[in-house]
Amino acid sequence: MNSQVFETPIEYLRGVGLARADVLKKDLQISNFDDLLRHFPYKYIDRTRFYKIKDINADMPYVQILARVTQKEILGEKHTRRLVVQALDDTGVIELVWFQGIKWIEKTITIGKVYVLFGKPSFFNGKAQMAHPEMEPYSTEALQRKGNLTLQPVYNSTEKLKQFSLDSKGLQKLIAGLLEQHLKDIHENLPLYLINHFNLVSRADACRNIHFPEDATKLNEAIYRLKFEELFFLQLKLLRNKLLHSQKFKGNIFETVGTLFNEFYHRKLPFPLTNAQKRVLKEIRQDTQRGVQMNRLLQGDVGSGKTVVALMSMLIAIDNGFQTCIMAPTEILANQHYQTIKELVGDDFIEVALLTGSTSAKARKVLHERLENGQLKILIGTHALIEDKVQYKNLGFVVIDEQHRFGVEQRAKLWRKNSIPPHILVMTATPIPRTLAMTLYGDLDISVIDELPAGRKPIQTLHFYENQRLRMFGFMKQEMAKGRQIYVVYPLIQESEKLDLKNLEDGTDVMAHEFPLPDYRISIVHGKMKPTDKQFEMNRFIKGETQIMVATTVIEVGVNIPNASVMIIENAERFGLSQLHQLRGRVGRGAEQSYCILMSSHKLSHDGRIRLDTMVKTNNGFEIAETDLRLRGPGNLDGTQQSGVLDLKVANIVTDQELLITVRKCVENIFEKDPQLALPEHQIFHHSLQSKGQGLNWNKIS
Ligand code: ADP
Ligand code: MG
């Protein structure tokens, strides 16, 4: 809860003015006092220790040395004019160079004197150098001078800002000035009981010490406090939205578990449910009896059996007189769901309809009518399901597959189709680490299927290099001889689309040569084909008419062909971890041993190697997601853009997981005790929840 003062535009700060304000805004998005206050150092330089000249190297960021000046001279003409100073300690020589302010600096340096030098070392012809070092005559008094910082803050700056004398040092001065003037205006924004319970330092202390730490302990305390606060308000906002949402949106109550469900469960279901599936069904059952709209995210690895859970939940909805639908991101996947569900329920049980972009106008018209009069109970399709023309009589339960492709607005569009919004189950096969899910989907409840159906053999993953290609062909032959089918996947990205397609075609030619007709047949599916052609090729493979399917990532989502037991990924180093994991999940669905072969060149980047090693090492989607998050940071994960995690300034969603869990629990307790935040000690939150300047842009949070 900063005082209003911090909303003052930055140009009004002493030492800024219009021109500098302009660059601060453009380059660092600093437009008011608060933004500057929250421009935290990205590192600190330890000025408590001195290096010996022989110990420094070019990799060191900034170092401090003590050395005696032995020589100084001005060299060069005009553009090459420079001041060169030699200094030495008992281990070696260092050359100090200045290109600007030469005359003045030259005068201040006395030969024979010892100086404290501070700068970034570099090497030229094996000789240590420092350009434009900070320099101060050595004296015990200078070192012990009160208030002399031991840890110097270093700030991000830009070339442009440097032209305006706002390098790290310049920014430091501005911030020092700001703190000097307004430290007293930095007010506490957490209640005393939390500060005491979590042993936090005050907000003002934290702000001062994160910029100008008295010592390392104070710095750590400051960082902890600011991280806590940042995560706290993020969670407070998310959980409050969720609470408001549940108060605002009533939900249909599914009172009974009726005939359809029971009949399906006892007569149709071809396998026992896993414990995880049962647990999730129970969670959904509870949600749909409360009278509040359900918003639940169902996470489960590929093949963990999410679809059955979705179907059984839908049957409960239908038992209670409602309509249901499943929305998939692609036509292929919608089709697949349609087939799977039809197979599961059988012909005589309940009608299932499909609606996609390819549905004919005539068929569409009939569908629309039957939806409107409520006859049709299960509809499966693509986003065609939420077109304005589609009207339901009483849509009660919606399943959305592969969440990240449907934005928040699209979800909302579905809600608007009823006065009471349908319950929503979002299914995703992209596991998200728990802490990230808490933040990304803070407004959703989360269920996890963390158990594969019994009898599945874990997929074996191998990494082959290009020169092992013959071995790979041999392996393919061996598996096909056993009657298995094989996927071969090529990367395809827009920037190199032509080349990628050529790779795919060349690769297919080689394979056709290796595996000649009539014994072997190959299907090809890629993004440049017409949907009908794609479907035709897919169908040939599904029916077993072809043994090999060469494809780009179009098969990435959801396709289920139990007899396909080998997944070969070409140029595997070019895929991201979650993509690799998704692709691998296409196999391992039948009873046989399945394999995934990652083909790569010998040249692998550091991260590329980690990705492939991770794939070989584990099948666990959550473990893979953790590694992915570590490699890429949250900024590149789907959905993070709107989540607010990218606006975190101090906390880090990857490394501060433990703190995040603590904070989350703390916020949950607060809402349990005081859902309206009405208690006197919680009044303090309202200001922060309304104001923008709390380190988070609330607008971005859905
Ligand atoms: P997901 O959508 O999670 O990737 P699916 O629901 O498509 O997984 O299920 C994958 C396969 O496993 C399907 O063939 C499905 O019929 C089967 N399956 C689902 N649950 C079980 C279970 N409990 N036992 C055996 N097989 C199951
Ligand atoms: Mg699925």
Side-chain angles (χ1 to χ4, degrees):
M1 181 163 48
N2 284 335
S3 92
Q4 295 262 315
V5 162
F6 285 90
E7 282 159 41
T8 313
I10 197 67
E11 52 264 40
Y12 294 109
L13 185 67
R14 201 181 303 145
V16 180
L18 281 176
R20 285 175 146 194
D22 214 40
V23 195
L24 280 170
K25 277 177 213 172
K26 268 204 200 101
D27 282 18
L28 296 177
Q29 287 77 50
I30 294 174
S31 48
N32 62 24
F33 288 11
D34 188 59
D35 296 334
L36 182 66
L37 183 66
R38 289 189 295 103
H39 187 61
F40 298 129
Y42 72 93
K43 66 171 182 188
Y44 302 83
I45 294 160
D46 184 357
R47 291 204 68 163
T48 52
R49 83 172 275 195
F50 291 93
Y51 285 85
K52 290 291 181 190
I53 293 175
K54 77 164 169 32
D55 293 331
I56 60 178
N57 63 59
D59 294 332
M60 293 178 164
Y62 285 86
V63 293
Q64 183 170 244
I65 52 184
L66 274 179
R68 184 182 305 278
V69 170
T70 55
Q71 199 183 321
K72 59 173 181 178
E73 54 185 327
I74 293 175
L75 301 173
E77 310 262 312
K78 278 191 181 162
H79 298 304
T80 61
R81 232 168 96 84
R82 62 199 188 275
L83 168 64
V84 180
V85 172
Q86 299 273 1
L88 49 92
D89 65 8
D90 50 4
T91 68
V93 186
I94 189 163
E95 198 173 86
L96 315 170
V97 191
W98 284 264
F99 300 95
Q100 276 150 18
I102 293 172
K103 264 206 180 138
W104 183 76
I105 293 165
E106 199 262 346
K107 270 192 214 136
T108 65
I109 296 175
T110 313
I111 291 180
K113 243 190 185 171
V114 175
Y115 289 85
V116 177
L117 301 170
F118 180 73
K120 163 119 190 71
S122 60
F123 281 78
F124 185 70
N125 281 342
K127 216 167 159 190
Q129 276 195 342
M130 252 186 210
H132 286 249
E134 280 174 43
M135 209 166 165
E136 188 178 9
Y138 170 79
S139 67
T140 40
E141 172 199 342
L143 290 179
Q144 290 166 0
R145 195 164 44 223
K146 244 189 137 202
N148 201 12
L149 293 173
T150 52
L151 290 166
Q152 286 235 349
V154 184
Y155 297 94
N156 267 322
S157 179
T158 64
E159 281 312 310
K160 193 84 201 270
L161 279 161
K162 283 174 193 163
Q163 288 169 20
F164 285 80
S165 307
L166 290 178
D167 55 358
S168 176
K169 264 262 137 65
L171 287 165
Q172 184 186 324
K173 254 185 227 151
L174 286 187
I175 293 166
L178 177 68
L179 280 171
E180 200 169 300
Q181 241 187 314
H182 293 296
L183 191 65
K184 61 181 185 322
D185 300 315
I186 299 178
H187 302 311
E188 192 44 72
N189 60 0
L190 293 172
L192 195 62
Y193 81 91
L194 286 182
I195 298 210
N196 289 337
H197 185 264
F198 290 99
N199 251 324
L200 304 174
V201 296
S202 80
R203 185 150 198 268
D205 274 352
C207 287
R208 189 166 42 101
N209 273 297
I210 197 167
H211 288 290
F212 304 107
E214 280 169 47
D215 56 42
T217 313
K218 288 258 182 342
L219 174 61
N220 286 335
E221 286 169 356
I223 291 175
Y224 186 79
R225 148 83 213 209
L226 292 170
K227 279 181 178 175
F228 185 97
E229 169 184 325
E230 198 170 39
L231 295 172
F232 182 89
F233 283 104
L234 178 61
Q235 291 300 326
L236 193 74
K237 181 77 181 181
L238 285 168
L239 289 182
R240 184 158 157 271
N241 279 354
K242 187 168 148 189
L243 207 69
L244 291 178
H245 182 95
S246 70
Q247 284 160 356
K248 198 158 92 194
F249 294 99
K250 285 206 175 65
N252 296 307
I253 297 177
F254 299 167
E255 287 181 10
T256 56
V257 174
T259 7
L260 272 179
F261 180 93
N262 283 323
E263 199 149 305
F264 179 82
Y265 188 57
H266 295 295
R267 303 234 175 88
K268 300 267 181 190
L269 191 64
F271 39 70
L273 293 176
T274 63
N275 286 329
Q277 284 172 319
K278 282 185 199 160
R279 187 185 62 233
V280 173
L281 266 175
K282 228 178 254 163
E283 285 165 352
I284 295 173
R285 183 78 199 104
Q286 272 161 13
D287 277 2
T288 52
Q289 285 174 304
R290 287 191 306 149
V292 170
Q293 187 207 14
M294 175 182 86
N295 268 294
R296 191 168 275 283
L297 177 72
L298 174 54
Q299 288 195 63
D301 242 327
V302 273
S304 61
K306 296 185 291 294
T307 315
V308 186
V309 170
L311 172 66
M312 292 176 75
S313 313
M314 287 157 69
L315 292 178
I316 296 177
I318 299 169
D319 274 334
N320 286 276
F322 292 96
Q323 292 169 295
T324 64
C325 69
I326 300 182
M327 185 157 69
T330 64
E331 262 195 68
I332 290 184
L333 188 53
N335 241 313
Q336 190 86 40
H337 275 309
Y338 176 67
Q339 301 297 345
T340 310
I341 296 225
K342 264 180 74 125
E343 224 162 87
L344 276 168
V345 298
D347 283 340
D348 51 341
F349 190 64
I350 189 166
E351 188 195 354
V352 182
L354 178 71
L355 176 64
T356 68
S358 319
T359 309
S360 72
K362 206 168 128 204
R364 209 175 269 249
K365 197 159 163 261
V366 179
L367 273 181
H368 285 176
E369 270 172 32
R370 306 197 54 230
L371 282 173
E372 230 167 304
N373 66 27
Q375 280 173 332
L376 189 59
K377 303 292 191 193
I378 300 183
L379 179 64
I380 296 167
T382 53
H383 53 269
L385 295 190
I386 52 169
E387 277 167 14
D388 289 331
K389 278 169 290 182
V390 185
Q391 295 294 332
Y392 299 82
K393 179 153 185 252
N394 56 357
L395 183 61
F397 196 93
V398 174
V399 178
I400 301 178
D401 198 0
E402 298 301 335
Q403 121 94 29
H404 51 274
R405 294 168 203 236
F406 288 105
V408 175
E409 304 101 74
Q410 275 166 310
R411 263 198 270 157
K413 207 166 169 187
L414 265 168
W415 300 349
R416 286 199 294 273
K417 294 218 170 261
N418 289 57
S419 53
I420 293 184
H423 296 299
I424 296 202
L425 182 69
V426 178
M427 302 196 293
T428 176
T430 315
I432 305 159
R434 189 162 113 84
T435 48
L436 189 62
M438 268 180 198
T439 310
L440 276 183
Y441 306 112
D443 58 336
L444 300 180
D445 290 304
I446 296 173
S447 289
V448 178
I449 302 188
D450 48 7
E451 182 188 359
L452 290 182
R456 295 265 173 85
K457 293 198 182 80
I459 302 163
Q460 279 185 30
T461 303
L462 306 163
H463 175 196
F464 281 5
Y465 291 103
E466 197 46 53
N467 61 2
Q468 292 167 294
R469 186 165 288 276
L470 284 179
R471 208 174 134 199
M472 178 195 93
F473 285 143
F475 181 76
M476 287 174 75
K477 234 170 243 166
Q478 178 194 312
E479 289 302 302
M480 286 190 287
K482 291 188 209 156
R484 311 274 181 268
Q485 289 168 287
I486 297 177
Y487 296 108
V488 181
V489 176
Y490 280 84
L492 178 74
I493 58 167
Q494 232 153 28
E495 296 89 80
S496 60
E497 192 173 320
K498 273 200 181 133
L499 197 70
D500 283 347
L501 276 178
K502 176 139 185 4
N503 276 345
L504 179 145
E505 278 158 10
D506 291 351
T508 312
D509 285 347
V510 173
M511 224 170 294
H513 191 258
E514 196 69 31
F515 304 114
L517 292 166
D519 294 349
Y520 304 99
R521 289 191 162 78
I522 302 177
S523 284
I524 303 180
V525 178
H526 61 74
K528 287 274 131 179
M529 290 163 68
K530 276 194 249 145
T532 46
D533 294 345
K534 259 192 252 179
Q535 198 59 55
F536 177 79
E537 287 287 303
M538 286 287 298
N539 285 341
R540 291 210 306 151
F541 189 67
I542 291 169
K543 285 188 220 143
E545 291 168 13
T546 58
Q547 293 84 41
I548 301 173
M549 180 153 93
V550 180
T552 55
T553 44
V554 286
I555 58 160
E556 190 183 324
V557 240
V559 181
N560 187 14
I561 300 160
N563 191 48
S565 64
V566 181
M567 167 65 65
I568 293 169
I569 304 175
E570 296 281 354
N571 294 116
E573 73 273 23
R574 284 180 52 198
F575 289 90
L577 257 181
S578 71
Q579 252 183 326
L580 289 171
H581 181 60
Q582 291 269 321
L583 286 168
R584 178 169 61 184
R586 298 303 110 211
V587 298
R589 299 188 156 215
E592 326 81 29
Q593 177 62 54
S594 292
Y595 301 90
C596 174
I597 298 177
L598 307 167
M599 294 297 296
S600 86
S601 71
H602 278 277
K603 264 199 247 148
L604 287 176
S605 67
H606 171 259
D607 286 5
R609 180 168 299 282
I610 293 182
R611 286 197 296 270
L612 299 187
D613 287 352
T614 304
M615 289 296 293
V616 171
K617 199 179 70 195
T618 181
N619 278 309
N620 182 321
F622 285 93
E623 214 174 291
I624 288 169
E626 290 277 353
T627 306
D628 198 28
L629 187 59
R630 269 169 213 283
L631 286 181
R632 300 200 298 161
N636 294 308
L637 298 189
D638 289 315
T640 49
Q641 257 67 18
Q642 311 96 44
S643 71
V645 295
L646 297 185
D647 297 326
L648 292 175
K649 287 236 171 201
V650 220
N652 178 314
I653 211 87
V654 180
T655 49
D656 295 322
Q657 303 202 6
E658 218 170 294
L659 180 60
L660 177 53
I661 290 169
T662 306
V663 167
R664 171 81 170 201
K665 273 206 198 100
C666 163
V667 174
E668 278 169 357
N669 286 339
I670 288 174
F671 279 118
E672 210 159 287
K673 206 168 72 179
D674 182 19
Q676 305 297 330
L677 302 180
L679 291 174
E681 63 266 35
H682 292 154
Q683 292 312 304
I684 196 168
F685 295 143
H686 290 285
H687 186 96
S688 296
L689 282 170
Q690 277 147 24
S691 91
K692 283 181 285 173
Q694 287 300 328
L696 285 166
N697 183 351
W698 298 127
N699 300 332
K700 283 198 207 156
I701 296 172
S702 56

